[in-house]
Every structure is written in structure tokens, then in C-alpha cells.
Amino acid sequence: MSFDEDDSTFTQTWSDAFDAYKKSTGRDIKLDTALQRLNTTDDLLQKIESQQTDFDTFRSKHSKVWTSLSSAMKPIELLAGLAQGALTLTPFAPASTVLGAALFLIGSARKVSAAYDAITDLLDKVQGFTGRLQEYTKGSIDSKLKKTIVEILTTLLAIFARSEKLIKRERLLQYLSVTFLRDDKKVQVALSRLDELTKNEQEMVIALTFSSVKKLDKGMEQVASSLSDSKKERKEEENRRIIQEHLDSKALDRVLEMNEAFCETRLAGTGDWVLEETLLQQWIDPKSSLLWILAGPRAGKSYLSSRIIQSLKDLHPQGVQVPEVVSVGFFYIKEDDQQLRSINTLLKSVAYQVAQNDPAFRKNAINVCAYLDNIRTARGTWKRLFLDFFGSSQNDNSVFIVVDGLDEAPKGERATVLDLLGDLVSKANSSKRYRIRILLVGRPELQDDIQSYWEDRAIRIRRDFIEVSAQKNTKDILEYVTIDVRRVRLLHKLPIDERRDFRQEIIEKLQNGANGMFL
């Protein structure tokens, strides 16, 4: 089977697909000459095998992704072979390009089982569409199918590129649910496009060959079923658009990056002492809904926050569907970053995190965000998204919220936080139980804000404070100082005994002068 002639229009379409892939992944796939050897699905599977240090273990753990990859890519391999005739002017064969994109998608999972599960789910969805193609690529092909086939390949390339980007991002959130790839708005649009193209291809072939009335009837039933599914998918796509448009932001990306950086650079054992604090344990139990951690400058507050966030996620894994869902949301306020100083942005970012974990909250958030006035102000967002849902008797779901750096917010924004907290824990609201637990971390000066704001308004509230002192974080500072001193190259020039004594003297002087501060 071959195309009758080359068409510059198809070449331009394919070239545009390369540019879109590079923009999404940051990778110019045309420069990777090793991919030119990927011509068949077997070549792809062998390449993946060669990249695994322990392939037998990999394949036993991820047999589903192996099977799904093979099933999804076989029809694509045949289709790419057909397209080769129409794309002779391009620098890269269609098969090598699409198979290469699949290779990088598998590689992005980085041994994370949940990521492989999500890729398997996506490939099964893709195979549901491309599986239609295999039967109809055995006969002769009409020239009218050229455009459809090239567009199918460009759509697959876009799906793999977007999915690779999502896996790398969503691993930061730790919300790698099985369906998170095909639940993404852009992936969903591309899948719908793939569905439409493969149905068009199928309908064209049926019209051209008309092999049997039975086959035609079956195709019509599939079209009717697809129309129903398409309607549901469009609704789901609209819901995802609402959540992403109104709750997701660049601020959230920055917060996730900071939290990952704190976790990666935090020394093992740093901050563990705070987990043993009675007030923190009571807050987790829960016996209290509000807790403050106060510490002076350079006392490692953000590292403590990241340690507590990690501990909460260990206690309540995110993305696991259980009857009573417990979500964990967090935010880092930074004085020098305009995006990270707004309390309304804080609340929306936390709401987005909760929506990825809690289906019931997500459904409520979609309804709330459908009307922009509901979330135009911090008070509106707080009431509509948090108080109304977590105070409802129709569910038992709950949320932990960790806010680091409240002292870095502008004075007016700090006042807004105290005002909202008054709704949550005021004695006047003691009859109302909200399943919201909030931890706020900042400098001791926050106590002045708390006292002046709440006492001026006659708000009686329980105030639980954990104060970070030199006695509490001495072990953390000692570990930090010890490792830093060991890195001093000049000390390595001294004799071993002299080096050891001098190093210990430096450590003791630095520790004694630290007074609870890391810098």
C-alpha cells in the first residue's frame, strides 16, 4: 500500500507537529539520530529493554504497560508506514518519530509505579481508537485518506508530548492517579480529536470497501455509542477547564517547586523533633483545629513546614479513593514574590490541590467556580469552597492546610487571614464543626497581630503555639554544621589527628554561637 504522490501540505503539517512537540517537551526529536533505528514496535520494545538495568524485574512489575504499549503501537506502526509515502520531504520517518515519542513517555515515569499505571491507562485509551485502523490497512488505500492519516500521527505525537510533560509535573503533586493523564484538558481534547480522526478513517474505508452489511451495521452502532461517550467527555472537559482556569496558577507551580526543593535538600532527620511535639499531635488527632509554629529568622521554618507536609502525606496518601477522604494542601508565602503574597491566591492554590485528591470537593468546586463572583475575594473563596463543604453534614471529608511564612504577607493580607480564622475557631462558632485543620508558620511577631486583631474584636479563641528554640533544634543545627565543616577543603591539608581536633573545635564554636539559627 502506498500514496500516489507527495504533498507539500502534509509535509508542512508534519513539520508543525515537530515544532509543537519541541515546545511542549523542550526536546528537538529530529536531533536524536539514535531514534532513526526505531522502525517497528519490536524495535521500541527492545530499546526500552536495553535501557533497564534489571529488565526482568521491570517487566514483571509493569507487564500491563508492556502489553498496552505493544497493542497500541502495532496499528500506529502500520499507519506510519502508509504515511511515509506522503512525507518523503520530511527529515524524519513517521514511525521513528512516534515510536521515539512513546520511548520518552515511558522514560518519564522514572520507576514510579503510579506513573506507569497512568501511561497504561492512556495507552489503552489510545489503542481503543487505533485498534480500528489495523483491519482497514490491509487493502488498497484511497488518496482521500492521506490527510486523515497524517493528522492521526500528528495528534498521537501531541498526546505523547503533553502526557510526558504532565507526568514530570504531577509527580511533584504526588497525585498520580490512574486516569490523571486522560483527565487532563489538553490530553482530552487530543484524544477526542484522535477519536474523531480514526472514526473518519474507519467510515471512509467502510464507504470505499463496503465489505458487508454486518460490518457496516456494527460501525454505525459504534458511532452511536461514540456520540454518547463524546457528550460525556465534552462535559468532563468543560469541568476540567473550569477547575484549571479558576484555581490553577503559576503561583501553585512555584509553591510545588519550593516544597520539592526543601524536601530534596533537607538533611535526613531534620525537623523530626517537631513531629513529637504534643501540640502537633493533638492538632493531627484532631483535638484542635488551629496551630501556630513560631521561630526567629533563619531558624529553618520552611524546612519544618516541608517535614510536616511530608509526614501528613505519609499518614494520608493522596490520590487514594477511600470513604472518608483526607486531603493535604500547602502554600509558601514569600515577601519578594508578588504571586505568593495574596491570600485569595493561597486559598485557590490549596483548593486546586484538594480537588485533585477529593472527588466530592472537586464536584463542589466546579459548581462554585462556575460563578466567578463566588471566588472573587478571599472571603468568598473561603466560605464557598472550604467552610460550606467541610462544614456540611453530607460528607465526612477533611483537610489539613499548612501555610508557611505568614509574617511575609502584607499587613492587610495577614489581617484577612486572622479574620477568616475567626470564622473557623471562634467560640461563637463552637456549635459548628468544620473538618479543617490549619497550621501557620512564621516569626514570633505574629503574636502581636493575633492579640491586637482578635482582642479588639472580642474574639475568644484557643491559641496553641509551638516556639522553635535553640534547645529544640540543636540537633538539626549540629548535623547541618558538621556536614558543612566536613566540606571545607583547607582542613584536608592538615594531619589526620590535628584535622579532627580542629574540625571539632570549629563545630563547637559554630554550634554555641548559632543560637537556634542555621545561618
Side-chain angles (χ1 to χ4, degrees):
M1 227 179 318
S2 64
F3 292 103
D4 298 329
E5 58 183 329
D6 295 335
D7 192 323
S8 60
T9 301
F10 302 148
T11 300
Q12 184 59 49
T13 300
W14 192 233
S15 178
D16 291 343
F18 273 99
D19 293 340
Y21 183 87
K22 181 179 180 180
K23 182 178 180 181
S24 180
T25 64
R27 180 189 307 111
D28 190 343
I29 203 168
K30 290 181 290 188
L31 300 180
D32 196 333
T33 56
L35 297 183
Q36 295 179 11
R37 292 190 290 272
L38 296 180
N39 297 309
T40 67
T41 304
D42 289 337
D43 292 342
L44 171 61
L45 299 179
Q46 290 174 10
K47 183 66 173 178
I48 295 174
E49 178 178 351
S50 69
Q51 291 179 346
Q52 302 298 322
T53 56
D54 188 353
F55 177 72
D56 290 337
T57 300
F58 170 83
R59 186 163 183 175
S60 65
K61 285 185 177 180
H62 308 297
S63 58
K64 289 184 178 179
V65 72
W66 193 260
T67 302
S68 297
L69 183 64
S70 179
S71 299
M73 299 308 292
K74 282 290 185 182
I76 296 172
E77 171 190 335
L78 294 171
L79 204 64
L82 292 173
Q84 184 63 52
L87 300 173
T88 54
L89 299 179
T90 60
F92 224 58
S96 299
T97 302
V98 179
L99 293 170
L103 175 67
F104 288 119
L105 173 60
I106 296 296
S108 68
R110 290 175 59 184
K111 300 183 180 181
V112 177
S113 295
Y116 287 119
D117 292 341
I119 292 174
T120 300
D121 177 75
L122 176 71
L123 291 172
D124 288 342
K125 186 73 172 178
V126 169
Q127 197 276 331
F129 301 144
T130 60
R132 305 167 181 164
L133 304 170
Q134 196 164 11
E135 181 178 357
Y136 300 109
T137 56
K138 295 176 182 177
S140 61
I141 188 166
D142 188 88
S143 60
K144 294 180 181 179
L145 296 179
K146 289 181 181 180
K147 181 178 180 181
T148 299
I149 289 178
V150 172
E151 287 183 349
I152 287 173
L153 293 174
T154 59
T155 303
L156 286 167
L157 198 61
I159 290 172
F160 291 159
R162 175 65 178 172
S163 299
E164 178 184 342
K165 181 177 181 180
L166 284 173
I167 285 177
K168 291 179 178 178
R169 178 180 184 267
E170 294 298 306
R171 287 193 315 108
L172 304 183
L173 272 171
Q174 300 180 13
Y175 294 144
L176 290 171
S177 65
V178 172
T179 64
F180 91 93
L181 285 179
R182 59 182 173 90
D183 285 346
D184 176 73
K185 179 179 66 174
K186 293 183 179 179
V187 172
Q188 193 60 241
V189 170
L191 286 172
S192 297
R193 177 62 175 157
L194 181 61
D195 185 14
E196 178 184 356
L197 289 169
T198 54
K199 282 190 295 186
N200 287 344
E201 190 272 353
Q202 182 185 43
E203 291 166 3
M204 285 187 207
V205 174
I206 291 175
L208 290 168
T209 60
F210 206 93
S211 60
S212 69
V213 174
K214 182 178 179 180
K215 181 179 293 185
L216 181 59
D217 289 341
K218 182 179 180 180
M220 294 303 294
E221 290 175 2
Q222 290 176 341
V223 170
S225 176
S226 296
L227 288 174
S228 177
D229 291 342
S230 179
K231 184 177 180 180
K232 293 179 181 178
E233 289 173 355
R234 285 196 300 271
K235 180 62 176 176
E236 292 173 358
E237 178 185 332
E238 175 63 16
N239 290 340
R240 282 188 291 272
R241 184 194 65 77
I242 291 173
I243 289 291
Q244 290 181 328
E245 181 177 329
H246 297 298
L247 299 182
D248 197 3
S249 66
K250 292 182 179 179
L252 176 58
D253 290 338
R254 178 76 179 112
V255 166
L256 296 174
E257 290 170 0
M258 284 192 294
N259 189 65
E260 183 183 38
F262 288 134
C263 290
E264 289 181 348
T265 57
R266 189 181 64 240
L267 298 178
T270 297
D272 286 356
W273 63 267
V274 77
L275 303 180
E276 304 300 322
E277 289 285 313
T278 300
L279 288 176
L280 183 69
Q281 293 176 353
Q282 290 176 348
W283 177 72
I284 293 174
D285 278 344
K287 295 181 181 178
S288 64
S289 56
L290 179 62
L291 178 63
W292 302 79
I293 294 182
L294 304 178
R298 300 182 296 279
K301 296 184 290 296
S302 294
Y303 282 99
L304 282 180
S305 296
S306 68
R307 181 65 185 93
I308 293 170
I309 292 166
Q310 179 188 355
S311 177
L312 291 173
K313 288 188 173 183
D314 290 341
L315 288 172
H316 305 286
Q318 303 296 280
V320 178
Q321 299 304 315
V322 293
E324 295 181 11
V325 180
V326 180
S327 299
V328 179
F330 54 89
F331 196 87
Y332 291 88
I333 299 174
K334 292 299 176 184
E335 184 178 15
D336 58 355
D337 192 328
Q338 189 66 33
Q339 293 181 340
L340 304 181
R341 300 172 64 193
S342 164
I343 300 307
N344 200 19
T345 299
L346 181 159
L347 293 172
K348 290 178 181 179
S349 297
V350 171
Y352 183 86
Q353 295 173 62
V354 178
Q356 305 311 302
N357 180 63
D358 187 335
F361 181 91
R362 179 182 179 86
K363 182 178 180 180
N364 176 71
I366 290 168
N367 293 331
V368 170
C369 293
Y371 300 95
L372 188 57
D373 285 346
N374 287 338
I375 55 172
R376 194 178 299 278
T377 65
R379 171 157 291 284
T381 303
W382 174 243
K383 182 182 185 305
R384 298 291 187 184
L385 286 180
F386 291 93
L387 295 184
D388 288 353
F389 180 81
F390 290 110
S392 171
S393 60
Q394 297 181 6
N395 72 84
D396 293 318
N397 300 355
S398 60
V399 62
F400 288 95
I401 301 175
V402 178
V403 178
D404 179 84
L406 181 58
D407 56 286
E408 297 190 45
K411 185 175 182 179
E413 296 290 276
R414 296 201 302 271
T416 297
V417 171
L418 294 174
D419 184 44
L420 301 182
L421 292 177
D423 294 339
L424 179 64
V425 293
S426 172
K427 296 295 184 181
N429 293 330
S430 59
S431 60
K432 184 72 172 179
R433 177 178 173 267
Y434 295 103
R435 298 176 302 280
I436 304 173
R437 279 163 279 180
I438 299 181
L439 169 64
L440 297 114
V441 182
R443 295 189 180 184
E445 298 87 84
L446 287 173
Q447 292 191 71
D448 297 333
D449 289 350
I450 297 168
Q451 182 174 352
S452 62
Y453 189 87
W454 281 340
E455 289 187 0
D456 287 349
R457 289 158 181 76
I459 296 177
R460 297 174 56 214
I461 187 172
R462 173 176 171 173
R463 303 171 191 175
D464 292 332
F465 297 97
I466 295 177
E467 297 188 19
V468 180
S469 63
Q471 290 73 23
K472 290 181 177 179
N473 67 358
T474 294
K475 184 178 178 181
D476 293 346
I477 292 176
L478 176 59
E479 184 69 19
Y480 175 79
V481 169
T482 300
I483 290 178
D484 260 18
V485 170
R486 287 175 179 170
R487 293 172 178 166
V488 177
R489 294 183 179 181
L490 290 176
L491 294 178
H492 293 284
K493 298 180 179 181
L494 299 175
I496 295 179
D497 291 342
E498 186 177 345
R499 181 198 314 164
R500 183 175 57 249
D501 294 341
F502 190 34
R503 178 186 292 159
Q504 186 60 35
E505 181 181 351
I506 293 174
I507 291 173
E508 290 176 358
K509 287 185 176 180
L510 288 174
Q511 184 182 12
N512 293 335
N515 194 28
M517 295 187 294
F518 282 84
L519 299 176

